[in-house]
Amino acid sequence: MLDQKLNIFFFFFATFVFLLFSEGDDYTRFFLAIALSIITGLICFLLNWLTLSGATSAILFGVIALGLGNITGASIVLVFFITSSLLSKDEKKGHSIVHFRRNGAQVWSNGFWFALWVIIWFASNSIVFLIAALSSISFSTADTWGSEIGGNRIKGTTWQFGSFKKIEPGLDGGVSLMGSLAALVGSFVIGITFFLFNQNMSLGYPILIIITGFLGSFVDSFFGTYIQGKKINQNMPKLLEKRIQTFDNNFTNWISSGLSSILAICIFFFL
């Protein structure tokens, strides 16, 4: 499974970087992160918010968020995860209600870039990589809020991205006024959370996090319209073809999250 391979990769990568660059106080926070992440992962599993694979990935992700990303990273990840879990719509199957539970692949589709940039930030202490990490979570929050509120909870007129053809709310690539507003509010919440923990930093940082996260939601709509659900081209590398048969929602979230963070880096350096 891809999520298991990512667990192994991030476990060794984060451990190596931590041992190489950590200082005295970092050890206390790191071990605290391990304890809190295990407790939180178990609670979320019992609440049916996570599958077993999702809980395993979330525990490792939580250790990286708090152990390496400090209180800022951990708080922002908690804001995203709690709000997205509360907003995620339950599915009806027959006469029963099936609760939405995130699995390991879904955890990493939203958290891959955050974890990667946070580890690099811990090693380099360059603020741009922390901004990139938080921009990826800003996108994930904007995307979830926009999809759940604009697509499932408050259904209004929805247009297909690019063609502006009216489509049913909730379909991949759909854009609506309410969904866009919800996405903006979601990214704003992440930016404000960052500001609350870093009031001594430039106001431009939370603004950058908000803007790139919000723009990323439209990138996600673009990919949702033009590539999501499509089969992998036979000319693609066989290694990729064996791992991913179609461009699914996890792939769309992963690439959109990465582009949001890369956009934040570009704006940081060139403006």
Side-chain angles (χ1 to χ4, degrees), residues 160 171-173 220-233 244-253 255:
Q160 186 178 55
L171 292 180
D172 296 329
D220 184 81
S221 295
F222 170 82
F223 286 121
T225 298
Y226 294 105
I227 72 168
Q228 189 167 323
K230 306 292 191 302
K231 290 186 177 181
I232 296 289
N233 190 297
I244 307 173
Q245 297 299 319
T246 61
F247 292 111
D248 59 8
N249 186 63
N250 289 336
F251 181 84
T252 300
N253 287 341
I255 194 172

Side-chain angles (χ1 to χ4, degrees), residues 9-269:
F9 166 74
F10 277 114
F11 174 80
F12 284 106
F13 186 27
T15 301
F16 173 77
V17 169
F18 179 79
L19 292 176
L20 197 61
F21 295 98
S22 60
E23 299 177 353
D25 294 339
D26 293 330
Y27 282 90
T28 301
R29 188 181 66 255
F30 192 78
F31 287 115
L32 178 63
I34 294 174
L36 291 178
S37 297
I38 292 174
I39 294 172
T40 304
L42 289 174
I43 291 174
C44 292
F45 175 75
L46 294 174
L47 288 173
N48 285 328
W49 287 2
L50 293 168
T51 64
L52 183 58
S53 68
T56 303
S57 298
I59 289 171
L60 177 57
F61 183 62
V63 172
I64 295 173
L66 177 57
L68 278 66
N70 217 320
I71 188 66
T72 298
S75 299
I76 287 176
V77 166
L78 278 176
V79 169
F80 159 68
F81 180 72
I82 292 174
T83 59
S84 61
S85 296
L86 291 174
L87 285 172
S88 295
K89 189 177 181 181
D90 297 333
E91 296 181 1
K92 289 184 179 180
K93 290 190 176 181
H95 298 288
S96 60
I97 299 294
V98 178
H99 294 285
F100 176 81
R101 305 175 74 188
R102 294 181 185 275
N103 57 33
Q106 290 166 328
V107 169
W108 287 122
S109 70
N110 288 293
F112 175 91
W113 295 101
F114 173 87
L116 181 67
W117 294 127
V118 161
I119 294 172
I120 296 174
W121 170 68
F122 186 83
S124 66
N125 200 32
S126 178
I127 187 65
V128 63
F129 296 114
L130 178 60
I131 299 301
L134 301 183
S135 293
S136 72
I137 294 296
S138 177
F139 153 74
S140 296
T141 307
D143 177 57
T144 302
W145 284 42
S147 299
E148 295 298 333
I149 294 177
N152 294 324
R153 297 183 179 273
I154 305 176
K155 297 181 179 180
T157 304
T158 303
W159 298 270
Q160 186 178 55
F161 187 91
S163 68
F164 297 101
K165 177 183 177 181
K166 289 186 180 181
I167 59 175
E168 288 293 323
L171 292 180
D172 296 329
V175 178
S176 68
L177 177 60
M178 187 55 64
S180 297
L181 289 174
L184 180 59
V185 173
S187 61
F188 182 80
V189 167
I190 298 301
I192 287 298
T193 304
F194 172 81
F195 175 75
L196 291 176
F197 286 97
N198 301 275
Q199 297 184 29
N200 59 324
M201 289 189 179
S202 169
L203 189 61
Y205 294 160
I207 293 175
L208 181 57
I209 291 170
I210 293 168
I211 291 174
T212 52
F214 179 60
L215 291 178
S217 65
F218 291 100
V219 174
D220 184 81
S221 295
F222 170 82
F223 286 121
T225 298
Y226 294 105
I227 72 168
Q228 189 167 323
K230 306 292 191 302
K231 290 186 177 181
I232 296 289
N233 190 297
Q234 295 299 318
N235 296 322
M236 295 290 281
K238 290 185 177 180
L239 178 63
L240 177 62
E241 189 176 347
K242 289 180 179 179
R243 294 289 180 268
I244 307 173
Q245 297 299 319
T246 61
F247 292 111
D248 59 8
N249 186 63
N250 289 336
F251 181 84
T252 300
N253 287 341
W254 177 79
I255 194 172
S256 300
S257 176
L259 289 174
S260 296
S261 61
I262 293 172
L263 176 62
I265 293 175
C266 292
I267 294 175
F268 185 95
F269 281 122

